[in-house]
């Protein structure tokens, strides 16, 4: 069983020293892994550390927010570590995620993450509906002109070409022309 301290700050102007000092007082023999990485960006040192952790190893952090920016991101990592038998401890929150209380907190975080995903989905759907009600076209902008589509439809309906032949002749894909034929 090995102990690892993970310390992270978000910008070059910050220092990991306060986290390192606090954690090394309590865990003097632990190996220190630190990095400067924004919460919104990749954390290569954390990724490498997580990949090397073995069952029974202990990962100690100053605070949960050192692991990521989003609840879902943090929860995913907690669940991965737990499933692999790695013990996670967060000093600010006084939580050992291998303990019964830690497991309860993980369940609460999972519920919060699910709620967060659901609320984001609801807001997105409401925004799309609102935009459509205002006449906005949602989705990828059309790159094929109506004239090209009409030409393809004409080749199929009036000239008797197959959809494949007509699509190739006017320079569109089979699915685009087939859908246009169904809707027009």
């Amino acid at each position: 069983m090995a102990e690892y301290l993970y310390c992270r700050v978000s910008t070059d102007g910050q220092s990991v020293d306060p986290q390192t000092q606090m954690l090394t007082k309590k865990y003097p023999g632990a190996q220190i892994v630190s990095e400067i990485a924004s919460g919104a960006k990749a954390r290569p040192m954390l990724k490498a550390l997580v990949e090397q952790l073995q069952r029974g190893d202990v990962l100690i952090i100053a605070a949960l927010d050192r692991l990521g920016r989003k609840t879902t991101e943090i929860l995913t990592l907690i669940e991965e570590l737990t499933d692999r038998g790695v013990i996670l401890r967060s000093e600010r929150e006084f939580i050992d995620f291998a303990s019964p209380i830690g497991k309860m907190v993980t369940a609460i975080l999972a519920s919060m993450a699910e709620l967060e995903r659901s609320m984001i989905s609801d807001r997105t759907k409401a925004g799309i509906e609102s935009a459509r009600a205002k006449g906005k076209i949602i989705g990828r902008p059309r790159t094929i002109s109506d004239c090209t589509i009409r030409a393809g439809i004409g080749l199929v309906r009036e000239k008797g070409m197959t959809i494949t032949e007509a699509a190739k002749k006017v320079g569109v894909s089979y699915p685009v022309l087939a859908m246009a034929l169904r809707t027009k």
Side-chain angles (χ1 to χ4, degrees):
M1 174 178 97
E3 291 182 336
Y4 297 89
L5 306 178
Y6 175 71
C7 303
R8 177 182 67 81
V9 292
S10 301
T11 62
D12 287 329
Q14 297 175 324
S15 172
V16 293
D17 291 344
Q19 291 175 54
T20 306
Q21 290 167 1
M22 180 211 25
L23 293 174
T24 54
K25 278 183 188 174
K26 192 167 180 181
Y27 305 95
Q31 182 178 339
I32 301 167
V33 176
S34 61
E35 70 183 321
I36 298 170
S38 168
K41 296 180 184 167
R43 292 168 297 284
M45 298 297 290
L46 177 61
K47 183 179 180 192
L49 174 59
V50 167
E51 287 174 0
Q52 80 174 38
L53 292 170
Q54 302 292 315
R55 178 171 294 283
D57 286 348
V58 182
L59 175 59
I60 303 147
I61 53 176
L64 276 177
D65 64 358
R66 299 299 82 203
L67 296 178
R69 186 175 227 176
K70 298 177 184 172
T71 305
T72 52
E73 183 182 8
I74 295 168
L75 178 64
T76 300
L77 182 56
I78 291 170
E79 289 174 335
E80 177 190 339
L81 294 171
T82 302
D83 290 347
R84 290 177 41 207
V86 174
I87 299 164
L88 175 65
R89 291 187 185 135
S90 178
E91 291 301 307
R92 181 176 65 192
E93 290 84 9
F94 302 108
I95 300 172
D96 179 333
F97 286 89
S99 71
I101 296 291
K103 290 175 183 173
M104 180 192 72
V105 169
T106 302
I108 292 169
L109 285 173
S111 297
M112 290 173 58
E114 185 177 334
L115 176 63
E116 183 180 359
R117 284 190 298 269
S118 177
M119 291 172 64
I120 289 169
S121 176
D122 289 347
R123 285 192 303 266
T124 301
K125 287 175 187 173
I128 289 170
E129 287 177 27
S130 174
R132 282 190 176 137
K134 293 176 184 173
K136 296 199 182 207
I137 297 171
I138 305 300
R140 188 172 155 198
R142 290 188 61 170
T143 57
I144 302 166
S145 71
D146 285 337
C147 182
T148 302
I149 295 294
R150 281 194 304 272
I153 291 171
L155 290 173
V156 172
R157 290 188 178 155
E158 296 165 18
K159 302 284 185 187
M161 284 187 173
T162 66
I163 296 173
T164 303
E165 293 168 335
K168 195 174 204 177
K169 182 141 181 114
V170 297
V172 299
S173 69
Y174 177 94
V176 166
L177 187 54
M179 184 179 289
L181 283 161
R182 283 192 298 268
T183 59
K184 293 184 183 193

